[in-house]
Amino acid sequence: MIFTQQPKVLEMSNPLTASMSEVLALTRAGRLRQATDLIQRNLRFRNAPATARETSVDEIGDIIALPAPIARPATEPGNPRRAPATPSPASFERRTLRNAAGSLDYLLYRPSGLNDPAPLVVMLHGCTQSAEDFSRGTRMNALADELGFIVAYPEQTRSANAQKCWNWFRPGDQGKASGEPAVIAAITREIIAAEGVDSQRVYVAGLSAGGAAAAIMASAFPDLYAAAGVHSGLACGSAKDLPSALAAMRGGGSIREPASGGKYVPIITFHGDRDNTVHPVNSDRIHAAWKATPAMAGLKREVTTGCGRSGGAYRKTAMLDGEGRSMSESWLLKGAGHAWSGGSPSGSYTAKSGPDASREMLRFFMQHRLA
């Protein structure tokens, strides 16, 4: 507003000098806006006694130096100008673990921008497969990108088995104290410690001989794995040497109770009803071995049928607790052979048709965590 004559409130010989003490008091008290307003009112007639004018910031600075705003560090919480953190890139690298039980290489996939603590899925390949081949066939890395978890692929050596099979049929490789299970468990613990893994959400899964090894890991280490997935595999202890292994694969053999001391590890299995390599009765035996554990008492049995998105009929038998959580699932794949259901043709021993075994395993796993 422009005044044509001097207001009465400013009729003084030197209004700026008269108000300076008040300005300084306001400034010391941190009331900078009020101090500025007072200065502006008194400067309206500076060098223009008959005509009032607005005062610029430079003119205010000529009279009193106002303190500069305190700069907030870029990393201070709540700073709206804080630069967003750069997501860490995805990594897929080969590592080696050596301990008293042996030595194994493994591949470790960590998605980009993963939040810690993250779940971990340990994947055990089948005979003649490599860790990299198994990762392609199961598409587990792509699911890790989508769902946010770490994947590990221990790799069997030809020196341990000419066909790169896990030695699930040897008594020395069926317990926790020694052999392949001890090395796989050590790999799991190494990753938990090094990668910010949620130790309550660690899972193990495998195909064929790897599926049998996964069943062994669940039996031997119920305090390490919260759930297990077995595709076309066999129960822990279903063989004690190579001849009994071949008999079990044909559907013979017997059931051995898990070595977990009664602690149940939730298990999901997949098996083709036309599997000519490992008879589908072996999946039934995996579940039967756990049937006597206290956790299986009082569960509701639910049977459903359907088809996978790419075809392939199935029958799913699930055991549900009172909250509807699936504690056990057995998927019988109609017309399927010895191959990972819903897998990618870029890997070996996969079937494009049928339910997506990888995704269904993850759905099952994420219901469970260690107490």
Side-chain angles (χ1 to χ4, degrees):
M1 179 180 294
I2 303 299
F3 294 97
T4 57
Q5 67 181 45
Q6 204 172 11
K8 293 181 178 180
V9 71
L10 294 178
E11 289 179 351
M12 55 186 68
S13 59
N14 193 341
L16 183 59
T17 302
S19 302
M20 185 57 68
S21 60
E22 185 178 356
V23 169
L24 292 174
L26 290 171
T27 302
R28 293 190 187 98
R31 299 169 62 185
L32 303 182
R33 172 56 59 191
Q34 292 91 329
T36 301
D37 291 342
L38 182 58
I39 291 172
Q40 287 176 328
R41 287 198 302 270
N42 285 280
L43 286 177
R44 291 187 190 277
F45 301 95
R46 183 183 183 186
N47 299 325
T51 304
R53 58 186 176 88
E54 297 295 332
T55 306
S56 68
V57 173
D58 290 338
E59 289 176 317
I60 297 174
D62 289 340
I63 303 168
I64 182 170
L66 300 180
I70 298 174
R72 298 174 66 186
T75 57
E76 182 179 339
N79 188 346
R81 293 188 296 176
R82 181 182 183 183
T86 302
S88 58
S91 61
F92 195 28
E93 59 185 14
R94 181 172 291 271
R95 301 181 181 181
T96 301
L97 181 131
R98 294 180 177 87
N99 66 5
S103 173
L104 279 178
D105 283 358
Y106 64 96
L107 293 180
L108 185 72
Y109 182 73
R110 184 182 180 93
S112 173
L114 188 65
N115 293 322
D116 296 334
L120 169 66
V121 179
V122 178
M123 297 289 291
L124 303 176
H125 63 77
C127 295
T128 75
Q129 292 183 310
S130 67
E132 198 274 335
D133 173 23
F134 195 44
S135 72
R136 292 198 312 269
T138 59
R139 295 192 181 96
M140 226 16 121
N141 290 1
L143 288 168
D145 288 332
E146 177 185 341
L147 302 176
F149 59 91
I150 297 170
V151 200
Y153 303 89
E155 189 170 69
Q156 178 64 299
T157 64
R158 290 197 182 278
S159 61
N161 187 290
Q163 298 299 314
K164 296 188 70 176
C165 304
W166 300 102
N167 293 301
W168 55 272
F169 49 86
R170 300 192 313 201
D173 292 302
Q174 294 175 353
K176 65 185 299 181
S178 63
E180 293 165 2
V183 182
I184 295 170
I187 288 173
T188 304
R189 294 190 180 102
E190 178 177 86
I191 298 169
I192 292 172
E195 299 297 326
V197 167
D198 182 350
S199 61
Q200 292 183 321
R201 295 188 294 165
V202 179
Y203 312 98
V204 61
L207 169 67
S208 190
I216 290 170
M217 299 306 293
S219 175
F221 299 95
D223 295 320
L224 184 59
Y225 301 102
V230 178
H231 202 309
S232 310
L234 302 97
C236 176
S238 56
K240 60 182 179 180
D241 51 28
L242 188 55
S244 60
L246 296 174
M249 291 167 66
R250 291 192 295 266
S254 59
I255 300 171
R256 189 181 81 180
E257 290 185 5
S260 62
K263 183 172 182 179
Y264 176 69
V265 177
I267 289 188
I268 180 172
T269 64
F270 291 82
H271 219 121
D273 67 356
R274 294 187 182 180
D275 189 336
N276 294 321
T277 303
V278 177
H279 196 283
V281 72
N282 284 285
S283 283
D284 297 334
R285 288 173 175 166
I286 291 172
H287 294 284
W290 295 97
K291 194 168 288 184
T293 57
M296 298 299 289
L299 299 182
K300 176 185 176 183
R301 185 171 181 267
E302 181 181 83
V303 179
T304 57
T305 58
C307 289
R309 291 184 178 180
S310 55
Y314 63 84
R315 186 186 73 209
K316 180 182 75 170
T317 303
M319 302 299 291
L320 309 177
D321 66 11
E323 299 177 354
R325 181 176 55 166
S326 183
M327 302 297 292
S328 165
E329 288 186 15
S330 175
W331 293 66
L332 185 64
L333 312 173
K334 302 293 186 178
H338 195 68
W340 190 274
S341 180
S344 168
S346 62
S348 62
Y349 296 101
T350 62
K352 183 178 180 180
S353 63
D356 186 340
S358 296
R359 189 175 292 276
E360 293 295 342
M361 281 187 182
L362 291 168
R363 170 196 55 79
F364 180 83
F365 290 167
M366 297 310 169
Q367 297 177 82
H368 302 286
R369 62 173 62 227
L370 291 177

